[in-house]
């Protein structure tokens, strides 16, 4: 028996949200700002209709941009002038695994879903490991979170290759000029930044006060 909600599917705009994309279908998608899920604002099998919709959406919105894609072999492709698939699109209809989606919305879970500039979503998990004397060190570790590829630690975006861990600040401190005199050549020297503060070494987290260190180890 049909339920009242079944009748909603007779309404094209409602049904479109539920039906999977089909081969050769044109999608007008939001390309900026990026969201965790693909925002498709128009679906059509007609190239010219879809292109007009994209142009209208771009005219109507000052702070968002929209792009045209074609669904081909299960993925989104750029559309070339004759309406045929061109290069594969950076932006895809990524399916986030429910466990990671739940963790993202769980206030107590240590981690969140972050979207790469290319549109690829990943889970930034907070991991802590203990140092010798100080509080545990907490760092974020990017983990893949897609339904068909999840739980894999990755430092680079699997989609565009860009680096996901921002360690520019740490690199500055690794510069030899920044190594304190007492620590030069010491095998205990660590010199990494965590949450904005420099961990000089596990024995003297803030470094030695003088130019020599009692715990210097070659
Ligand atoms: Zn990326």
């Amino acid at each position: 028996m049909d339920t009242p909600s079944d009748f909603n599917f007779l309404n094209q705009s409602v049904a479109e949200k539920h039906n999977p994309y089909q081969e050769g279908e044109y999608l007008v998608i939001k390309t900026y700002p990026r969201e965790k899920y693909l925002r498709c604002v128009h679906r059509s099998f007609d190239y010219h209709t879809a292109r007009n919709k994209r142009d209208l959406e771009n005219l109507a919105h000052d702070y968002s941009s929209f792009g045209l894609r074609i669904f081909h072999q299960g993925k989104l492709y750029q559309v070339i002038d004759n309406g045929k698939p061109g290069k594969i699109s950076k932006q895809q209809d990524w399916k986030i695994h429910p466990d990671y989606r739940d963790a993202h919305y769980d206030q107590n879970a240590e981690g969140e879903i972050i979207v790469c500039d290319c549109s690829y979503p990943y889970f930034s998990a907070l991991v802590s490991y203990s140092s010798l004397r100080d509080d545990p060190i907490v760092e974020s570790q990017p983990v893949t979170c897609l339904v068909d590829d999840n739980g894999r630690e990755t430092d680079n975006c699997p989609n565009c290759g860009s680096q996901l861990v921002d360690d520019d600040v740490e690199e500055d401190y690794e510069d030899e000029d920044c190594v304190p005199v007492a620590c030069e050549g010491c095998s205990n020297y660590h010199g990494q930044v965590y949450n904005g503060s420099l961990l000089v070494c596990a024995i003297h987290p803030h470094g030695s006060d003088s130019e020599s260190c009692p715990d210097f180890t070659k």
Side-chain angles (χ1 to χ4, degrees):
M1 201 183 107
D2 288 339
T3 63
S5 61
D6 287 337
F7 285 108
N8 280 335
F9 286 87
L10 298 175
N11 179 328
Q12 197 188 358
S13 67
V14 172
E16 275 179 352
K17 292 194 176 74
H18 297 275
N19 293 340
Y21 303 125
Q22 291 174 47
E23 178 66 29
E25 194 170 1
Y26 295 101
L27 316 180
V28 177
I29 62 167
K30 192 175 180 187
T31 52
Y32 182 85
R34 302 219 193 281
E35 296 178 16
K36 289 183 187 65
Y37 297 95
L38 187 73
R39 274 281 306 281
C40 175
V41 294
H42 176 76
R43 298 171 64 169
S44 162
F45 284 98
D46 184 79
Y47 171 53
H48 293 281
T49 310
R51 209 173 55 173
N52 288 343
K53 284 280 183 188
R54 176 203 57 194
D55 295 344
L56 280 174
E57 291 289 346
N58 280 324
L59 283 174
H61 295 86
D62 284 344
Y63 301 105
S64 310
S65 339
F66 297 83
L68 184 60
R69 301 289 186 274
I70 184 168
F71 194 73
H72 173 57
Q73 295 177 343
K75 293 241 185 294
L76 301 186
Y77 282 78
Q78 308 266 4
V79 182
I80 45 179
D81 279 343
N82 56 9
K84 294 270 178 292
K87 277 200 308 186
I88 191 159
S89 165
K90 282 265 165 63
Q91 203 158 357
Q92 293 291 335
D93 187 17
W94 307 111
K95 304 283 188 222
I96 297 174
H97 193 285
D99 288 355
Y100 290 95
R101 194 186 52 213
D102 293 348
H104 176 76
Y105 291 108
D106 181 352
Q107 299 288 318
N108 299 316
E110 294 188 322
E112 58 179 338
I113 295 167
I114 297 179
V115 178
C116 179
D117 287 342
C118 74
S119 87
Y120 183 87
Y122 62 95
F123 191 80
S124 176
L126 286 182
V127 288
S128 59
Y129 53 92
S130 50
S131 62
L132 286 179
R133 292 192 184 176
D134 228 1
D135 292 333
I137 294 167
V138 178
E139 271 193 325
S140 60
Q141 169 63 53
V143 181
T144 57
C145 66
L146 300 183
V147 168
D148 52 3
D149 176 16
N150 65 79
R152 194 162 56 85
E153 288 189 4
T154 176
D155 291 336
N156 292 80
C157 173
N159 189 40
C160 73
S162 73
Q163 204 173 353
L164 299 179
V165 187
D166 184 16
D167 57 5
D168 289 346
V169 189
E170 291 168 21
E171 276 170 15
D172 287 343
Y173 281 95
E174 276 165 8
D175 198 320
E176 278 186 39
D177 292 339
C178 295
V179 178
V181 179
C183 305
E184 267 175 38
C186 175
S187 59
N188 291 325
Y189 180 70
H190 186 65
Q192 301 272 314
V193 176
Y194 301 98
N195 294 326
S197 56
L198 174 68
L199 176 70
V200 176
C201 80
I203 304 167
H204 305 280
H206 304 292
S208 173
D209 291 337
S210 63
E211 287 193 5
S212 66
C213 173
D215 299 299
F216 184 88
T217 314
K218 261 262 182 253

PDB file of all heavy atoms in Angstrom, residues 197-215:
ATOM      1  N   SER A 197      53.252  25.634  21.414  1.00  0.00           N
ATOM      2  CA  SER A 197      54.444  25.769  22.250  1.00  0.00           C
ATOM      3  C   SER A 197      55.497  24.740  21.868  1.00  0.00           C
ATOM      4  O   SER A 197      55.186  23.609  21.468  1.00  0.00           O
ATOM      5  CB  SER A 197      54.096  25.699  23.740  1.00  0.00           C
ATOM      6  OG  SER A 197      53.408  24.520  24.015  1.00  0.00           O
ATOM      7  N   LEU A 198      56.724  25.161  21.982  1.00  0.00           N
ATOM      8  CA  LEU A 198      57.847  24.344  21.538  1.00  0.00           C
ATOM      9  C   LEU A 198      58.225  23.332  22.607  1.00  0.00           C
ATOM     10  O   LEU A 198      58.386  23.686  23.775  1.00  0.00           O
ATOM     11  CB  LEU A 198      59.035  25.284  21.252  1.00  0.00           C
ATOM     12  CG  LEU A 198      60.380  24.636  20.905  1.00  0.00           C
ATOM     13  CD1 LEU A 198      60.305  23.937  19.560  1.00  0.00           C
ATOM     14  CD2 LEU A 198      61.466  25.689  20.897  1.00  0.00           C
ATOM     15  N   LEU A 199      58.316  22.071  22.216  1.00  0.00           N
ATOM     16  CA  LEU A 199      58.823  21.048  23.131  1.00  0.00           C
ATOM     17  C   LEU A 199      60.292  20.846  22.777  1.00  0.00           C
ATOM     18  O   LEU A 199      60.623  20.284  21.738  1.00  0.00           O
ATOM     19  CB  LEU A 199      58.035  19.745  22.954  1.00  0.00           C
ATOM     20  CG  LEU A 199      58.534  18.569  23.798  1.00  0.00           C
ATOM     21  CD1 LEU A 199      58.246  18.790  25.274  1.00  0.00           C
ATOM     22  CD2 LEU A 199      57.894  17.265  23.338  1.00  0.00           C
ATOM     23  N   VAL A 200      61.170  21.358  23.657  1.00  0.00           N
ATOM     24  CA  VAL A 200      62.603  21.287  23.355  1.00  0.00           C
ATOM     25  C   VAL A 200      63.089  19.846  23.472  1.00  0.00           C
ATOM     26  O   VAL A 200      63.672  19.299  22.544  1.00  0.00           O
ATOM     27  CB  VAL A 200      63.403  22.231  24.271  1.00  0.00           C
ATOM     28  CG1 VAL A 200      64.890  22.077  24.016  1.00  0.00           C
ATOM     29  CG2 VAL A 200      62.979  23.671  24.035  1.00  0.00           C
ATOM     30  N   CYS A 201      62.869  19.230  24.632  1.00  0.00           N
ATOM     31  CA  CYS A 201      63.158  17.810  24.756  1.00  0.00           C
ATOM     32  C   CYS A 201      62.311  17.242  25.882  1.00  0.00           C
ATOM     33  O   CYS A 201      61.680  17.978  26.639  1.00  0.00           O
ATOM     34  CB  CYS A 201      64.650  17.534  24.973  1.00  0.00           C
ATOM     35  SG  CYS A 201      65.226  17.758  26.666  1.00  0.00           S
ATOM     36  N   ALA A 202      62.271  15.919  26.006  1.00  0.00           N
ATOM     37  CA  ALA A 202      61.398  15.290  26.984  1.00  0.00           C
ATOM     38  C   ALA A 202      61.884  15.543  28.413  1.00  0.00           C
ATOM     39  O   ALA A 202      61.094  15.559  29.352  1.00  0.00           O
ATOM     40  CB  ALA A 202      61.302  13.794  26.704  1.00  0.00           C
ATOM     41  N   ILE A 203      63.193  15.750  28.588  1.00  0.00           N
ATOM     42  CA  ILE A 203      63.733  15.960  29.939  1.00  0.00           C
ATOM     43  C   ILE A 203      63.544  17.417  30.359  1.00  0.00           C
ATOM     44  O   ILE A 203      63.139  17.713  31.476  1.00  0.00           O
ATOM     45  CB  ILE A 203      65.240  15.570  29.996  1.00  0.00           C
ATOM     46  CG1 ILE A 203      65.401  14.126  29.516  1.00  0.00           C
ATOM     47  CG2 ILE A 203      65.799  15.752  31.413  1.00  0.00           C
ATOM     48  CD1 ILE A 203      66.825  13.718  29.222  1.00  0.00           C
ATOM     49  N   HIS A 204      63.825  18.347  29.423  1.00  0.00           N
ATOM     50  CA  HIS A 204      63.643  19.773  29.716  1.00  0.00           C
ATOM     51  C   HIS A 204      62.702  20.336  28.649  1.00  0.00           C
ATOM     52  O   HIS A 204      63.166  20.861  27.634  1.00  0.00           O
ATOM     53  CB  HIS A 204      64.985  20.515  29.665  1.00  0.00           C
ATOM     54  CG  HIS A 204      66.020  19.923  30.563  1.00  0.00           C
ATOM     55  ND1 HIS A 204      66.058  20.166  31.909  1.00  0.00           N
ATOM     56  CD2 HIS A 204      67.030  19.059  30.295  1.00  0.00           C
ATOM     57  CE1 HIS A 204      67.070  19.481  32.450  1.00  0.00           C
ATOM     58  NE2 HIS A 204      67.675  18.800  31.486  1.00  0.00           N
ATOM     59  N   PRO A 205      61.384  20.213  28.893  1.00  0.00           N
ATOM     60  CA  PRO A 205      60.426  20.617  27.850  1.00  0.00           C
ATOM     61  C   PRO A 205      60.635  22.051  27.379  1.00  0.00           C
ATOM     62  O   PRO A 205      60.402  22.362  26.219  1.00  0.00           O
ATOM     63  CB  PRO A 205      59.070  20.473  28.534  1.00  0.00           C
ATOM     64  CG  PRO A 205      59.299  19.533  29.671  1.00  0.00           C
ATOM     65  CD  PRO A 205      60.717  19.734  30.118  1.00  0.00           C
ATOM     66  N   HIS A 206      61.065  22.943  28.284  1.00  0.00           N
ATOM     67  CA  HIS A 206      61.242  24.342  27.900  1.00  0.00           C
ATOM     68  C   HIS A 206      62.708  24.682  27.644  1.00  0.00           C
ATOM     69  O   HIS A 206      63.081  25.845  27.538  1.00  0.00           O
ATOM     70  CB  HIS A 206      60.648  25.258  28.974  1.00  0.00           C
ATOM     71  CG  HIS A 206      59.197  24.952  29.233  1.00  0.00           C
ATOM     72  ND1 HIS A 206      58.206  25.201  28.300  1.00  0.00           N
ATOM     73  CD2 HIS A 206      58.577  24.351  30.278  1.00  0.00           C
ATOM     74  CE1 HIS A 206      57.035  24.797  28.782  1.00  0.00           C
ATOM     75  NE2 HIS A 206      57.239  24.263  29.974  1.00  0.00           N
ATOM     76  N   GLY A 207      63.545  23.676  27.614  1.00  0.00           N
ATOM     77  CA  GLY A 207      64.952  23.898  27.304  1.00  0.00           C
ATOM     78  C   GLY A 207      65.775  24.140  28.552  1.00  0.00           C
ATOM     79  O   GLY A 207      65.255  24.334  29.650  1.00  0.00           O
ATOM     80  N   SER A 208      67.085  24.131  28.367  1.00  0.00           N
ATOM     81  CA  SER A 208      67.985  24.379  29.479  1.00  0.00           C
ATOM     82  C   SER A 208      68.159  25.888  29.660  1.00  0.00           C
ATOM     83  O   SER A 208      68.148  26.642  28.695  1.00  0.00           O
ATOM     84  CB  SER A 208      69.334  23.725  29.184  1.00  0.00           C
ATOM     85  OG  SER A 208      70.265  24.077  30.173  1.00  0.00           O
ATOM     86  N   ASP A 209      68.304  26.325  30.926  1.00  0.00           N
ATOM     87  CA  ASP A 209      68.427  27.761  31.196  1.00  0.00           C
ATOM     88  C   ASP A 209      69.808  28.297  30.818  1.00  0.00           C
ATOM     89  O   ASP A 209      69.980  29.465  30.530  1.00  0.00           O
ATOM     90  CB  ASP A 209      68.186  28.057  32.682  1.00  0.00           C
ATOM     91  CG  ASP A 209      66.730  27.821  33.048  1.00  0.00           C
ATOM     92  OD1 ASP A 209      65.883  27.882  32.112  1.00  0.00           O
ATOM     93  OD2 ASP A 209      66.434  27.541  34.221  1.00  0.00           O
ATOM     94  N   SER A 210      70.785  27.423  30.861  1.00  0.00           N
ATOM     95  CA  SER A 210      72.146  27.910  30.613  1.00  0.00           C
ATOM     96  C   SER A 210      72.654  27.405  29.268  1.00  0.00           C
ATOM     97  O   SER A 210      71.925  26.768  28.516  1.00  0.00           O
ATOM     98  CB  SER A 210      73.064  27.419  31.732  1.00  0.00           C
ATOM     99  OG  SER A 210      73.107  26.016  31.705  1.00  0.00           O
ATOM    100  N   GLU A 211      73.923  27.711  28.998  1.00  0.00           N
ATOM    101  CA  GLU A 211      74.481  27.292  27.711  1.00  0.00           C
ATOM    102  C   GLU A 211      74.954  25.853  27.724  1.00  0.00           C
ATOM    103  O   GLU A 211      75.386  25.327  26.706  1.00  0.00           O
ATOM    104  CB  GLU A 211      75.631  28.228  27.308  1.00  0.00           C
ATOM    105  CG  GLU A 211      75.107  29.585  26.872  1.00  0.00           C
ATOM    106  CD  GLU A 211      76.149  30.419  26.169  1.00  0.00           C
ATOM    107  OE1 GLU A 211      77.264  29.910  25.924  1.00  0.00           O
ATOM    108  OE2 GLU A 211      75.855  31.576  25.854  1.00  0.00           O
ATOM    109  N   SER A 212      74.901  25.230  28.889  1.00  0.00           N
ATOM    110  CA  SER A 212      75.220  23.806  28.913  1.00  0.00           C
ATOM    111  C   SER A 212      74.069  23.080  29.612  1.00  0.00           C
ATOM    112  O   SER A 212      73.311  23.673  30.363  1.00  0.00           O
ATOM    113  CB  SER A 212      76.535  23.559  29.660  1.00  0.00           C
ATOM    114  OG  SER A 212      76.360  23.898  31.019  1.00  0.00           O
ATOM    115  N   CYS A 213      73.934  21.800  29.347  1.00  0.00           N
ATOM    116  CA  CYS A 213      72.824  21.055  29.903  1.00  0.00           C
ATOM    117  C   CYS A 213      73.380  19.808  30.597  1.00  0.00           C
ATOM    118  O   CYS A 213      74.197  19.084  30.015  1.00  0.00           O
ATOM    119  CB  CYS A 213      71.867  20.653  28.774  1.00  0.00           C
ATOM    120  SG  CYS A 213      70.545  19.555  29.315  1.00  0.00           S
ATOM    121  N   PRO A 214      72.945  19.555  31.863  1.00  0.00           N
ATOM    122  CA  PRO A 214      73.465  18.404  32.597  1.00  0.00           C
ATOM    123  C   PRO A 214      73.117  17.064  31.938  1.00  0.00           C
ATOM    124  O   PRO A 214      73.771  16.054  32.200  1.00  0.00           O
ATOM    125  CB  PRO A 214      72.821  18.531  33.986  1.00  0.00           C
ATOM    126  CG  PRO A 214      71.644  19.427  33.801  1.00  0.00           C
ATOM    127  CD  PRO A 214      71.984  20.349  32.670  1.00  0.00           C
ATOM    128  N   ASP A 215      72.097  17.070  31.110  1.00  0.00           N
ATOM    129  CA  ASP A 215      71.652  15.797  30.513  1.00  0.00           C
ATOM    130  C   ASP A 215      72.076  15.650  29.057  1.00  0.00           C
ATOM    131  O   ASP A 215      71.528  14.829  28.321  1.00  0.00           O
ATOM    132  CB  ASP A 215      70.131  15.684  30.633  1.00  0.00           C
ATOM    133  CG  ASP A 215      69.681  15.697  32.066  1.00  0.00           C
ATOM    134  OD1 ASP A 215      70.084  14.784  32.809  1.00  0.00           O
ATOM    135  OD2 ASP A 215      68.948  16.619  32.472  1.00  0.00           O
TER     136      ASP A 215
END
